[in-house]
Amino acid sequence: QVQLVESGGAPVQAGGSLRLSCAVSGNIASYTCVGWFRQAPGKEREGVASIYRGGGTRTYSPDFAKGRFTISTDGVENTVYLQMNSLKAEDTAMYYCAAGARWSWGCADYQYWGQGIQVTVSS
């Protein structure tokens, strides 16, 4: 079993920055990678980025590959971060992290999810 807890969400003005954290605990050996997702009101959940456990290899969904969002990990404390810069109102959403069992051109087979955290960007 793996537990994931997101933190760092807060109201922010457009143009500002936030860093979300995802603390991963439990049976660390049962996951291979971690991904960040988001879901805005009335929209489907979309993938943002994923990273291989321990850092190094990472992938971004096409809409998030333009440099505003950066995924990273400390590699030791099993915490995965999502740095978000130049935030826009349309970035308002619930943000989730999840642990995946397989890496295949990105993280896959997500089996464990955090409860999500709200990010609200005001214009």
Side-chain angles (χ1 to χ4, degrees), residues 26-63:
N27 186 3
I28 304 301
S30 65
Y31 79 97
T32 298
C33 47
V34 173
W36 279 101
F37 296 80
R38 73 180 189 184
Q39 186 167 19
K43 295 187 177 181
E44 293 186 353
R45 185 176 64 200
E46 59 180 340
V48 176
S50 64
I51 190 166
Y52 196 87
R53 190 179 68 193
T57 306
R58 64 201 70 190
T59 62
Y60 294 89
S61 298
D63 289 344

Side-chain angles (χ1 to χ4, degrees), residues 12-17 85-88 121-122:
V12 63
Q13 290 191 336
S17 298
N85 299 326
S86 301
L87 284 163
K88 307 174 182 179
V121 184
S122 58

Side-chain angles (χ1 to χ4, degrees), residues 5-123:
V5 179
E6 301 95 341
S7 62
V12 63
Q13 290 191 336
S17 298
L18 276 179
R19 189 177 77 160
L20 302 182
S21 298
C22 174
V24 187
S25 62
N27 186 3
I28 304 301
S30 65
Y31 79 97
T32 298
C33 47
V34 173
W36 279 101
F37 296 80
R38 73 180 189 184
Q39 186 167 19
K43 295 187 177 181
E44 293 186 353
R45 185 176 64 200
E46 59 180 340
V48 176
S50 64
I51 190 166
Y52 196 87
R53 190 179 68 193
T57 306
R58 64 201 70 190
T59 62
Y60 294 89
S61 298
D63 289 344
F64 300 93
K66 300 176 183 178
R68 290 197 304 124
F69 288 58
T70 302
I71 191 171
S72 63
T73 178
D74 59 11
V76 176
E77 298 294 330
N78 297 313
T79 300
V80 177
Y81 305 100
L82 184 67
Q83 177 69 41
M84 305 184 294
N85 299 326
S86 301
L87 284 163
K88 307 174 182 179
E90 51 263 43
D91 293 318
T92 295
M94 283 289 288
Y95 284 74
Y96 300 87
C97 61
R102 182 171 58 93
W103 184 269
S104 175
W105 300 103
C107 200
D109 290 348
Y110 289 100
Q111 299 177 349
Y112 304 101
W113 292 80
Q115 79 285 356
I117 194 160
Q118 179 68 37
V119 171
T120 302
V121 184
S122 58
S123 57

